[in-house]
Amino acid sequence: MPAPDQTKALHDLNDRAREVFRRVVESYLHSGTPVGSRTITRDFHEKLSAATIRNVMQDLEYMGLIEAPHVSAGRVPTQQGLRLFVDALLEVDPVTAADREMLEATRGSNERDITTMLDRVGNALSGITKGASLVLAPKHEAPIRHIEFVPISNDRALVVLVFADGQVENRVFTPPPGLLPSSLREAVNFINAFANGLTLSGLRQRLRTEITQRRQEIDTIAGDLVERGMALWENEGERHERLIVRGRANLLDQTDSDGLVRIRELFDDLERKRDIAEVLDLTERGDGVRIFIGAENKLFSLTGSTLVVSPYMNADSKIVGAVGVIGPTRLNYGRIVPIVDYTAQLVGRMLSDLGSE
């Protein structure tokens, strides 16, 4: 469905302007060159002069739908114009039998590894469309065998998840501000100490339980000190809470001193677990690794590239990933869009087949 502003733009076009706009875009997508008024006039369904067509094209340019790449040139669609065309005026072709056959052939293997399956689909999609294919793999929810965190830049980190069933999944996330690489190493050591056999959700719940227990221990030990007026809370219950010990702490007996030492240890442990819990939350929400096949690096380094993408669903009709094609803006949308849609449906069926075996 077109966005509201695109719907308005479409509504503002009369039949003649809409037809001129459609022909400009289709001619540009076919030839890759600017389209002049005489080209439109040749096979227009109305007998109109080139001057009339030019006036209509000027209106379209004023609306931001087409533009002149240089002086005295024909017109090409703008990004806004291409978006309107794809969303509202595109006439798609049916997926050919040959294209369907190539895609369906990816189902021929008995391979149960999802990553391998998606890699086959990506290769087939790239070969059919002559573009770079993109596959966003579904996140895996299974018992974990091992976790590793790898810093890849100042604000990005990679988490490698090794599952008990042999699956390996990578996710990219943004660590909390100020988190040191040493903190990530500490998180890895802590999580791997009891990660085996737990899912990510199970790990998060286990950490939250431990955080609650530490907070209760602190409350129990600190409660007596606060009641006796020897300490007070600052920002109690918040992330950066502190227990401030009054000057009388110098007069505390050995029992009280032991209590303060224990509180300090519990606070340190609570802070570590809160950091680890936050990293684990970010891990679970992290982006799945996108698989690019073909000349993806070149495509992404160029301006004016286009991504045609469609989500796919699992057996429970839940969106778990996406497939797409990356190419230049001058893309055969009428052919590519239905192929991507067909591929997304195919992947959904393949996932359902894996789940039913």
Side-chain angles (χ1 to χ4, degrees), residues 1 15 32 43 88 112 133 154 179 217 231 250 258 292 313 324 357:
M1 292 291 293
D15 290 342
D43 55 355
R112 292 187 54 82
S133 62
N154 290 335
L179 189 71
E217 287 185 63
N250 294 326
D258 291 343
F292 302 104
M313 296 182 286
E357 293 178 5

Side-chain angles (χ1 to χ4, degrees), residues 53-299:
I53 297 294
R54 279 197 296 273
N55 288 336
V56 175
M57 293 174 72
Q58 286 176 355
D59 291 340
L60 293 172
E61 188 170 4
Y62 177 78
M63 295 175 67
L65 300 178
I66 63 176
E67 62 184 354
H70 46 79
V71 179
S72 302
R75 300 296 184 269
V76 299
T78 62
Q79 183 172 334
Q80 177 187 346
L82 277 175
R83 170 53 56 196
L84 177 64
F85 174 80
V86 169
D87 286 350
L89 299 176
L90 179 66
E91 297 179 1
V92 298
D93 303 322
V95 180
T96 66
D99 290 341
R100 284 200 306 271
E101 185 177 345
M102 285 186 65
L103 289 168
E104 292 288 347
T106 60
R107 304 181 69 175
S109 171
N110 292 325
E111 174 65 58
R112 292 187 54 82
D113 180 73
I114 294 177
T115 302
T116 303
M117 180 192 78
L118 292 176
D119 189 56
R120 289 199 311 271
V121 171
N123 273 297
L125 187 58
S126 179
I128 291 170
T129 61
K130 309 303 180 188
S133 62
L134 174 149
V135 179
L136 175 58
K139 292 180 178 178
H140 202 49
E141 183 68 7
I144 293 170
R145 180 183 299 161
H146 188 75
I147 290 181
E148 284 294 337
F149 293 108
V150 183
I152 55 179
S153 68
N154 290 335
D155 61 348
R156 302 288 275 173
L158 178 74
V159 57
V160 182
L161 302 168
V162 182
F163 296 95
D165 61 2
Q167 295 275 349
V168 178
E169 183 177 321
N170 303 321
R171 299 181 188 178
V172 178
F173 70 98
T174 301
L179 189 71
L180 300 174
S182 58
S183 298
L184 282 180
R185 288 194 296 271
E186 186 175 1
V188 163
N189 294 334
F190 180 86
I191 292 172
N192 283 325
F194 61 87
N196 194 20
L198 294 176
T199 64
L200 271 179
S201 299
L203 273 171
R204 291 171 65 243
Q205 185 57 46
R206 172 77 176 272
L207 264 176
R208 295 195 186 287
T209 298
E210 295 219 3
I211 287 172
T212 300
Q213 290 174 347
R214 295 296 177 271
R215 190 61 178 79
Q216 289 172 347
E217 287 185 63
I218 290 174
D219 286 343
T220 299
I221 298 174
D224 180 58
L225 294 175
V226 173
E227 187 176 337
R228 290 157 58 187
M230 296 180 178
L232 57 90
W233 283 109
E234 182 180 82
N235 302 322
E236 183 178 5
E238 298 180 11
R239 176 63 188 263
H240 301 293
E241 64 184 350
R242 291 194 306 165
L243 183 67
I244 301 176
V245 179
R246 299 182 182 277
R248 291 175 58 192
N250 294 326
L251 303 177
L252 293 176
D253 59 26
Q254 186 62 38
T255 302
D256 289 323
S257 297
D258 291 343
L260 288 174
V261 171
R262 179 59 179 158
I263 286 177
R264 187 175 296 111
E265 291 173 348
L266 288 171
F267 261 120
D268 290 342
D269 189 60
L270 178 65
E271 190 66 23
R272 282 195 303 272
K273 285 182 169 57
R274 282 173 169 169
D275 286 340
I276 294 168
E278 185 173 1
V279 170
L280 207 54
D281 283 341
L282 293 170
T283 294
E284 194 163 30
R285 297 196 303 267
D287 295 330
V289 169
R290 290 162 172 80
I291 303 170
F292 302 104
I293 300 171
E296 64 270 22
N297 293 332
K298 293 180 181 177
L299 283 169

